[in-house]
Amino acid sequence: GNHWAAGTRWQAEAGVTDSAELALSEWDGFTGGDSSAVAVRSFVEESADTLEWLESLGCTFVRGGGIAADTGSVQRLHIPGQDAGIPVNQLMLATDGLVRVSTTATGLVVEGGRVVGVDVGPGSDGSGGSGWVAAEAVIVATGGFARNDVRVAAAVPGIDNFPKYYEAYPGMDGNGLDMMEAAGAATANLENFGL
């Protein structure tokens, strides 16, 4: 999809004046989040460098058009070019294939209060097998939860009284959140998402 970043050279080339400081000053307003949180500050302050790093792996970007409601006062969405898969391929080569893609996890494996791998459902990796994959690190890509009516209604009480028009990808059902909660993780700020 799109990459959100502030103060990038792509913005500058398009005549957009932006910075991490400006984005952080607007953050609470357009996300409902907390711009003083360490994770938020790191995300915003490192966003431009992250795109530069992805470009060093072969990916290209173009700046999105228009100002989306969840970007702040200026356009901060950057659209990957046709070669968007190159960084993943480069990461797989750099890690001797230890990064797995196109594999659907059905749960997190927890030992001693630490996630040590993922359960893999039958055939999700194309092999027809199932079991679990050990991992030193696991990144859960939740895919959002805008297609999960129960989660949305719990996050924003009363919203079920309004007509529904889905813009979100059909797979955005929050299954990653389900796995994380089952493993003991807490969630926060679920009520603040774009509608």
Side-chain angles (χ1 to χ4, degrees):
N2 300 318
H3 294 263
W4 187 99
T8 70
R9 68 176 171 81
W10 291 273
Q11 290 174 300
E13 289 167 1
V16 174
T17 302
D18 194 21
S19 66
E21 294 76 21
L22 176 61
L24 285 168
S25 73
E26 299 173 348
W27 185 267
D28 297 6
F30 71 83
T31 67
D34 178 7
S35 61
S36 67
V38 174
V40 171
R41 295 193 70 79
S42 295
F43 169 74
V44 173
E45 291 169 354
E46 296 173 17
S47 62
D49 289 340
T50 299
L51 293 192
E52 296 285 350
W53 172 71
L54 288 170
E55 185 185 57
S56 76
L57 295 175
C59 193
T60 59
F61 294 93
V62 295
R63 193 182 60 82
I67 300 175
D70 57 355
T71 66
S73 65
V74 300
Q75 174 54 265
R76 295 186 172 112
L77 296 181
H78 297 70
I79 302 168
Q82 294 294 327
D83 48 8
I86 289 175
V88 172
N89 296 337
Q90 294 288 356
L91 284 171
M92 290 180 72
L93 289 172
T95 60
D96 294 324
L98 296 178
V99 173
R100 292 181 68 148
V101 296
S102 300
T103 302
T104 302
T106 57
L108 300 177
V109 179
V110 179
E111 289 180 1
R114 182 177 173 273
V115 175
V116 296
V118 295
D119 285 318
V120 179
S124 68
D125 62 355
S127 69
S130 62
W132 75 284
V133 178
E136 290 186 26
V138 175
I139 298 172
V140 178
T142 68
F145 62 93
R147 288 287 184 128
N148 184 325
D149 293 339
V150 173
R151 272 197 178 273
V152 170
V156 185
I159 198 169
D160 49 346
N161 296 324
F162 291 88
K164 295 177 186 152
Y165 300 96
Y166 293 106
E167 181 181 73
Y169 180 75
M172 297 178 106
D173 61 5
N175 64 335
L177 293 172
D178 295 339
M179 287 190 292
M180 294 187 328
E181 288 172 345
T187 57
N189 205 31
L190 296 181
E191 70 279 5
N192 292 304
F193 60 93
L195 292 174

